[in-house]
Amino acid sequence: MTDKTAKRQKPAALISGAAVLLLLGLALPAAAQYKIYDLGTNSWTQDITADTRNRVHIIWTNYGVLYYGEIVNNALTGVVEVARGVNTTFWRPYISAQPDGSSVHIAWTTGGMGNMLMHSWKTTGEWTTESVWAVPDSQWLSQPTCAIDSKGITHVMFAIWNNVQSNQWSTIFYTRKLANGTWEGIQQFAPKTPEYKHPMLFVDIIGQVHATWTISGRVGEDSYDAYYCMAPSGGKLYFDTRVKLPKAEDCNVNGYGDLYVDRYGVVHRSIGGWSNAEEKMCIDHTRKPVGGSFTVPTRASLGFLNLKGGDPVPAVVAREDGRTIVAWGQIGADGNTVKASFFDPDRNAWSLNTIDPAAGIPTSPNSYRVAITRTDTHVYGAWRGGNEHLKLFVMPIDGYIRKDLNKDGRVDSVWRNYATGTNRVWYMDKSKKLGEGLLPAVTNTNLRIAGTGDFNGDGKVDILWRHYGTGANLVWLMDGIRRLGIVSLPEATDKNLKIAGTGDFNRDGKVDIVWRHDLTGANTVWYMDGVTLLGEGLLPALTNTKWKIAGTGDFNRDGKVDIVWRDYGSGSNWVWYMNNLTRLGAAKLPAVLNLNWEIAGVVDLNGDWKADILWRDYSSGANWVWYMDNTKQIGAAKLPAETDLTWRMENQ
């Protein structure tokens, strides 16, 4: 569905009063958007992770004591002591959460030769700690890492150094704790020569476990290389399935690095590289698309680092459009600093920033990994500040937020009754209704629910309203079904202007608003910073006004907001593939010729991170969902019916 003859038209002024600056829609530099918080507790080492319900879990150590807490509203909450006797020489404890957040696990070690591998975990209530493995006095166990798949199996990797003069070796071992609570036997994962070390594990949103590790030395064609393998949820990791990661052309060593797998299954690995020619380290990054190979590394640090000691262990996260953050701490000529480099795929370039110019990096080698994670909407990084306090940087990474009002990790459905003014939420598990909750009522039925999104950056679903009598626009700031406040947006007094959806079009991590003019066919985006209008941009016009914008979502999985259209004259349905204001292409969706069926929203109802389409029949009250893979309908499911036709499903 295209309108090749339509010209871009400037719509009637959307804002009363002064003219608005027309933006090109370029995102602000990522470095300009992070904020730093002092969490107010002393720390030596730290780690952080998030689950698919957007809960952020953090651990830290101080004088051998291990603590746990959650990050809520950029502050620590629920702080508890987990264990004592924690060793942080050469490494730190490692935290992992089951994808749905139903359990949280920590792998750590005690100190000295002949030490022990420890495992602490909690589901609900208090933490439990157990000893997993003890090595002889001639060995040292270190570098523990863990991951918990969606079957409830705990995967643990660690390194052992054998300090016997006639038989010195260092390699990686692997074990699993099954869902029934029993541990499998400890298995030697890699050969004993050369040195295999620095394992890292990561569990993705569907519960697959990914692993990376390095070697120090040479074996055959392999020399100071890094490797990767993965296992399906419930499966095992195998050394023989490994893939060698590429080195940058000017590097001899592919060293320490972190793993991250985005919502679309793209694997990212950060690299601490080394150049013999420069005799210096660098920080690189490589990525592996689904079904593809790892790319040639790019230089996140821009150049080589002037270090005074220690090897930085860079951490990495990414969003689905390729924007990537690599962060590390370093002891260098300019002091103890925490750096972060931001990759912009539109410019194909990194920008290097100093997050903390006076960090409190411990002197123990490799213990000062800057920990980093992300939720649907924000990146969180943790490190030790110069005052020895645990520090946190927070940065918006995506304006998208699942329409999940009760924070159970599942998409819910918002309804409004245009006869009574009653508003409600259906709490959903895919197509099954679990229950419902009442929102505040609004008896003036000129006020319509126009969309949802996180407008104030608190990670919670807010509700956008438009008054079609006055042109007023409002946002309800919400905490679940509780209204925290009401904020006015600029008016748009032309009643033919309809809010058609929301989405982060310019990829600045903020929710934007899409408009369509019912008479002219002009389409516009308001670029927002929370509830502040920054400017507007013109989308391609579509003068056939029988076509209505039915929703927004990422259909082709490029991390950019696409637009869904329905023709209420013919029953045709199309998707526009977008890059901000630019239409890259269009594709046909299955038609629905019965015009009583309306698209009620675009959401990810089944949790596969693909945009699905909600339908409501306004003649019968039937409701359905199409499960989609791009434009292909891969399934459908019936939702509970609502035969009172004064109720509208408002899931734009």
Side-chain angles (χ1 to χ4, degrees), residues 123-183:
T123 50
T124 57
E126 296 183 355
W127 284 85
T128 301
T129 296
E130 63 182 342
S131 171
V132 180
W133 185 254
V135 295
D137 290 344
S138 61
Q139 293 182 351
W140 185 17
L141 190 153
S142 67
Q143 300 178 349
T145 181
C146 64
I148 296 80
D149 66 28
S150 57
K151 304 293 186 184
I153 297 174
T154 305
H155 302 251
V156 179
M157 274 188 173
F158 54 96
I160 292 179
W161 174 48
N162 190 61
N163 187 25
V164 176
Q165 188 169 6
S166 61
N167 185 30
Q168 287 194 347
W169 50 261
S170 176
T171 195
I172 297 169
F173 287 76
Y174 171 56
T175 187
R176 301 188 309 165
K177 185 177 185 179
L178 304 181
N180 63 10
T182 61
W183 285 95

Side-chain angles (χ1 to χ4, degrees), residues 444-560:
N444 185 338
T445 54
N446 282 317
L447 275 163
R448 299 183 69 96
I449 295 176
T452 59
D454 179 15
F455 282 87
N456 61 344
D458 65 354
K460 300 170 185 176
V461 179
D462 305 315
I463 301 175
L464 175 65
W465 294 81
R466 176 153 171 76
H467 194 302
Y468 284 97
T470 66
N473 303 297
L474 307 168
V475 172
W476 280 8
L477 302 177
M478 305 296 296
D479 181 3
I481 58 175
R482 184 167 65 97
R483 185 178 63 201
L484 303 178
I486 301 175
V487 181
S488 295
L489 301 177
E491 292 183 351
T493 54
D494 186 341
K495 298 176 185 178
N496 293 304
L497 281 164
K498 300 294 193 295
I499 295 178
T502 59
D504 181 12
F505 276 78
N506 61 347
R507 293 182 293 157
D508 65 351
K510 312 291 178 62
V511 180
D512 305 315
I513 300 172
V514 184
W515 296 81
R516 177 157 173 77
H517 197 289
D518 278 351
L519 295 183
T520 67
N523 305 302
T524 310
V525 174
W526 274 11
Y527 295 121
M528 307 297 295
D529 180 2
V531 294
T532 300
L533 176 59
L534 300 178
E536 64 185 65
L538 292 178
L539 294 161
L542 187 59
T543 55
N544 182 345
T545 56
K546 290 181 179 179
W547 284 98
K548 306 295 182 186
I549 296 176
T552 60
D554 181 10
F555 277 79
N556 59 347
R557 293 167 69 86
D558 64 354
K560 300 167 186 175

Side-chain angles (χ1 to χ4, degrees), residues 12 65 91 144 146 213 239 268 369 378 390 425 492 525 545 553 638:
V65 181
W91 209 233
C146 64
W213 64 93
F239 181 80
H268 297 258
R369 173 179 174 264
H378 288 80
L390 186 61
V425 177
V525 174
T545 56
K638 190 175 184 179

Side-chain angles (χ1 to χ4, degrees), residues 14 38 62 193 220 248 263 299 355 462-463 466 598:
L14 296 185
D38 188 324
N62 190 39
T193 57
R263 272 73 165 155
R299 185 66 33 88
I355 300 294
D462 305 315
I463 301 175
R466 176 153 171 76
E598 294 187 16

